[in-house]
Amino acid sequence: MTAHGEGVRDDGPRDADETAAQPRPAEGITVPEPQDRARSIPEAAVARLAVYLRVLSGLAEQEVHTVSSEELASAAGVNSAKLRKDLSYIGSYGTRGVGYEVAVLIGQIERTLGLTQQHRVAVIGIGNLGHALANYGGFPNRGFPVAALFDLDPDLMGVPVGGIPVDHVDDIPRVCAERDITIGAIATPAKGAQDVCDRLVQAGVRCVLNFAPVVLQVPEEVEVRKVDLAVEMQILSFHVARRSQEPQESGDPGDGVDGTPQSKTRDVNAGADPVDGMVVRS
């Protein structure tokens, strides 16, 4: 069985279960390099690729070797057409009658998301949320081990959390450089977040995950992902309030316009538009 991950995309995505083989590029047509394709992927599709990777990793752990577009789409909470479109961005179209090879697709998505390189995480702000982040097993299991912790509280200095001793925020530049930190997770109060971010940038960190309720000002080369849990609660409240005002139609409340049952669970990382997710780019 052969999976075709590097085919040429011409006029749109192909159905994974209808494509027998990858087409060869016509004479004079240049096949985009993987890095060029990655630059052209919409941010919302990147978020969904991460969800597909999570699902595929679970399938691999269960020793599932192939998966159809319909099965993968259902498990990821999207429709199969959107999934095929997303996977076409990375040059993966599947095989007719088989679908996608799980191991091959995992490799393609990991390369696209930059997961073939080592990442090490620093958590700044060791309160309740910082403790939870430091002890979260999902980070190392997915290739993002927490390697440094920082706080201002003198009582926390040297105290191990999740097996890692806490350092003072003044030591961010030195410790991050020594431990090759590539991602900083800011879990401080709002008033201290910008100073912490500046120290991370000074240390050469170019990826910041911001849990503080503030928009950070960063240089152009620094990427920021903002996670505001209160905002997510407010969005949920809006949807609940809207549904309570909708007139009850015949049939099940969860049925779509075509009578197909709709999922009640929405994964914000699988959502289509950046405005629906948790992204803030300063």
Side-chain angles (χ1 to χ4, degrees):
M1 176 171 54
T2 302
H4 305 279
E6 299 297 332
V8 179
R9 177 164 57 90
D10 46 20
D11 58 353
R14 296 173 176 80
D15 191 316
D17 300 322
E18 293 180 356
T19 304
Q22 292 298 332
R24 294 183 178 277
E27 186 175 352
I29 295 179
T30 302
V31 179
E33 294 296 328
Q35 63 269 27
D36 295 328
R37 286 199 298 266
R39 283 193 290 266
S40 68
I41 302 175
E43 187 165 345
V46 173
R48 289 191 294 270
L49 286 176
V51 176
Y52 303 152
L53 179 59
R54 181 183 66 198
V55 174
L56 290 164
S57 298
L59 293 175
E61 291 175 358
Q62 300 172 37
E63 299 186 352
V64 176
H65 302 295
T66 60
V67 62
S68 70
S69 59
E70 288 76 12
E71 292 168 335
L72 182 53
S74 176
V78 301
N79 63 60
S80 56
K82 178 170 288 185
L83 177 135
R84 290 192 292 268
K85 173 85 181 251
D86 291 340
L87 296 184
S88 75
Y89 287 122
I90 65 174
S92 185
Y93 301 105
T95 304
R96 183 180 63 188
V98 176
Y100 299 92
E101 286 193 48
V102 170
V104 172
L105 192 52
I106 286 175
Q108 290 174 322
I109 296 177
E110 285 182 339
R111 286 192 296 273
T112 301
L113 297 181
L115 300 179
T116 54
Q117 66 185 74
Q118 179 66 40
H119 290 284
R120 295 165 70 84
V121 179
V123 177
I124 306 92
I126 312 302
N128 292 333
L129 178 57
H131 268 85
L133 294 173
N135 287 287
Y136 178 49
F139 286 154
N141 288 345
R142 297 185 186 179
F144 299 91
V146 175
L149 304 174
F150 301 97
D151 202 280
L152 282 171
D153 189 346
D155 292 336
L156 289 176
M157 298 303 101
V159 175
V161 178
I164 301 171
V166 178
D167 289 297
H168 197 277
V169 292
D170 289 342
D171 295 325
I172 286 177
R174 175 184 60 81
V175 174
C176 286
E178 290 176 353
R179 302 182 190 176
D180 296 321
I181 300 298
T182 57
I183 298 175
I186 299 177
T188 67
K191 64 180 181 180
Q194 185 63 58
D195 177 66
V196 163
C197 183
D198 293 342
R199 293 172 187 264
L200 288 170
V201 173
Q202 179 185 350
V205 175
R206 294 296 178 262
C207 299
V208 175
L209 183 61
N210 178 31
F211 289 91
V214 63
V215 175
L216 299 174
Q217 303 301 316
V218 297
E220 183 65 27
E221 68 273 13
V222 176
E223 293 293 330
V224 178
R225 298 279 298 186
K226 179 171 173 56
V227 182
D228 192 324
L229 300 180
V231 168
E232 296 305 315
M233 295 293 186
Q234 291 165 349
I235 293 172
L236 285 172
S237 176
F238 163 77
H239 288 296
V240 170
R242 184 181 64 179
R243 288 176 182 173
S244 68
Q245 297 170 2
E246 292 176 351
Q248 292 297 319
E249 302 290 343
S250 59
D252 293 334
D255 285 354
V257 293
D258 60 353
T260 303
Q262 303 295 305
S263 172
K264 295 294 186 184
T265 302
R266 175 178 174 82
D267 188 329
V268 294
N269 291 318
D273 300 320
V275 71
D276 290 335
M278 301 181 291
V279 184
V280 169
R281 180 72 175 90
S282 299

